[in-house]
Amino acid sequence: MTTTQEFEAIVAAARTAFASASTPADLENAKAQYVGKSGRITELMKGLATLSVEEKKSRGAAINQAKQAIEAALTERRQALADAELAAQLRAEALDVSLPGRIREPGGLHPVSLTLERIEQIFASMGFDVADGPEIESDWHSFTSLNNPPNHPARSMQDTFYVDIDGDDGIPYNLRPHTSPMQVRYAHQHIKRYADAVKRGEPMPEIRVIAPGRTYRVDSDATHSPMFHQCEGLWLGENVSFKDLKVVFTDFCRTFFESDDLALRFRPSFFPFTEPSAEIDIQFQSGPLAGRWLEVAGSGQVHPAVVRNMGLDPEKHIGFAFGMGPDRLTMLRYGVSDLRLFFDGDIRFLRQFR
Ligand code: DAH
């Protein structure tokens, strides 16, 4: 073997040894066998001592060349192992940033709740109290106290849900079909306060209240839901007139819809608990609903029979009542065409009102 071939073989063997070292420690061991203190190259260097000056020169240069080649291979392999180690570490610590996060969405009020809040605020600013009452109601409160004759169609099973529990009068309780029973309930709740005021020689306090809440009827289509909302209004005083009803309700509608450009129409109607009675229609002058009359409430001057059932004197307690549909108002305010969307609980719909 010539010297050159011998050195080339050593370099090749070193490369193979380095390539098969799979960790930095293995590589350092392999390095020691070639360029370490007693490695092959170091041994060859030591052998130069016995040679002539000429031979030292040429052989020394060849050994140096081999040493440089081995060191270059070593550096290359060191880098490759370091790269592989880094790559493995990155793989182990990898985060899948494409996975959607777990977001907790902010909540919001239901559109009908927003409307009820708005109604309460507006009427509170006009001095109305806000009252709440039971959804399971007696026949007397839902019908009799409100001057409904015994054969009134609202009392039939086709219109009203009944509960399997009889009241004291032997008639089953109902899921209140309207908020009107709150008129009599509220008067009864405050009757002692009124009587005490009169005893003290003070003027009789007015009754000025709204009662929003859930109501139920056997009815279901795009504009009727078996569970819906109503808001009752009642203002009784010494002489509260139909004119006051017009002022209050017109004011309410214009504030609610934020428009002075709103026409109201009081259309003659019939309710057993009011006389005279009127349906209240509104008409927008601009926007997508412009020009159409839209019914929003029933109303009228409270019937003397109802005032008597409140325990009050109909000669002294005169005023109006109304019952409106907050669901309807919400549909008009937000341009919703199907009432059922309010009760489906679809987050894609509800999210829009957040
Ligand atoms: N209770 C009636 C209904 O559900 C609405 C109503 C009409 C309420 C006239 C009133 C009123 O207080 O005066 O259809």
Side-chain angles (χ1 to χ4, degrees):
M1 198 190 274
T2 68
T3 310
T4 318
Q5 279 171 332
E6 188 193 343
F7 291 164
E8 278 174 0
I10 292 171
V11 172
R15 284 215 178 95
T16 309
F18 295 163
S20 60
S22 55
T23 65
D26 285 351
L27 184 60
E28 295 315 309
N29 284 336
K31 172 202 155 184
Q33 286 173 31
Y34 294 94
V35 289
K37 261 187 194 152
S38 50
R40 302 272 306 268
I41 296 293
T42 320
E43 292 300 324
L44 288 171
M45 292 286 205
K46 284 179 191 161
L48 289 177
T50 57
L51 299 181
S52 68
V53 177
E54 272 312 296
E55 278 174 324
K56 264 185 194 162
K57 242 190 188 168
S58 65
R59 194 171 161 82
I63 294 173
N64 253 332
Q65 222 172 19
K67 190 184 177 190
Q68 277 166 15
I70 289 170
E71 275 170 350
L74 181 66
T75 307
E76 198 183 315
R77 184 63 185 151
R78 269 197 192 124
Q79 191 58 48
L81 284 180
D83 287 351
E85 193 178 55
L86 180 64
Q89 190 186 350
L90 288 177
R91 235 179 294 120
E93 295 172 0
L95 282 181
D96 182 356
V97 292
S98 67
L99 199 68
R102 291 185 196 89
I103 300 167
R104 193 167 295 182
E105 286 192 48
L109 285 180
H110 188 280
V112 174
S113 300
L114 292 173
T115 294
L116 292 173
E117 266 195 355
R118 210 171 154 72
I119 292 172
E120 289 174 19
Q121 271 167 14
I122 297 169
F123 278 102
S125 78
M126 292 193 264
F128 281 74
D129 193 8
V130 178
D132 200 8
E135 290 169 31
I136 298 176
E137 195 46 288
S138 70
D139 183 79
W140 189 82
H141 283 97
S142 282
F143 301 114
T144 310
S145 74
L146 294 164
N147 202 33
N148 274 280
N151 57 348
H152 194 281
R155 295 180 111 128
S156 86
M157 301 285 281
Q158 285 78 45
D159 286 317
T160 301
F161 288 108
Y162 284 91
V163 179
D164 237 359
I165 302 166
D166 284 351
D168 294 339
D169 53 7
I171 305 172
Y173 281 100
N174 56 75
L175 296 185
R176 64 177 182 188
H178 53 182
T179 44
S180 300
M182 281 306 292
Q183 293 187 27
V184 176
R185 277 195 176 275
Y186 185 84
H188 284 172
Q189 276 162 14
H190 294 84
I191 200 88
K192 191 172 174 318
R193 186 162 62 79
Y194 305 146
D196 289 349
V198 171
K199 247 186 255 164
R200 287 194 301 267
E202 293 166 13
M204 169 78 187
E206 288 191 335
I207 296 181
R208 206 187 304 181
V209 64
I210 60 163
R214 277 184 285 271
T215 46
Y216 304 84
R217 271 182 219 177
V218 185
D219 215 350
S220 186
D221 59 41
T223 53
H224 295 90
S225 151
M227 190 284 288
F228 59 106
H229 296 85
Q230 277 200 348
C231 180
E232 198 72 12
L234 175 68
W235 187 353
L236 293 181
E238 242 172 78
N239 198 10
V240 180
S241 72
F242 209 96
K243 183 193 73 187
D244 297 308
L245 165 65
K246 281 187 119 171
V247 170
V248 165
F249 213 84
T250 302
D251 224 38
F252 163 71
C253 288
R254 294 193 171 152
T255 310
F256 183 86
F257 289 108
E258 295 168 277
S259 164
D260 286 337
D261 230 9
L262 195 68
L264 274 83
R265 176 172 81 176
F266 290 74
R267 183 163 39 86
S269 185
F270 172 79
F271 298 102
F273 33 92
T274 43
E275 182 59 38
S277 304
E279 306 270 5
I280 307 177
D281 301 335
I282 62 168
Q283 189 190 63
F284 295 98
Q285 306 305 304
S286 57
L289 294 166
R292 277 169 53 195
W293 285 108
L294 309 156
E295 188 186 313
V296 291
S299 66
Q301 286 291 103
V302 180
H303 196 288
V306 177
V307 178
R308 266 192 295 272
N309 287 330
M310 292 173 181
L312 300 170
D313 179 353
E315 295 294 326
K316 293 194 186 130
H317 301 94
I318 293 166
F320 64 80
F322 60 81
M324 63 180 161
D327 306 323
R328 194 79 202 285
L329 295 180
T330 312
M331 289 172 81
L332 295 174
R333 183 161 151 83
Y334 296 110
V336 176
S337 57
D338 192 330
L339 178 74
R340 288 169 293 200
L341 286 166
F342 291 146
F343 308 118
D344 283 348
D346 187 332
I347 195 74
R348 293 166 301 178
F349 171 73
L350 297 173
R351 196 183 270 145
Q352 302 174 82
F353 299 91
R354 228 171 19 208

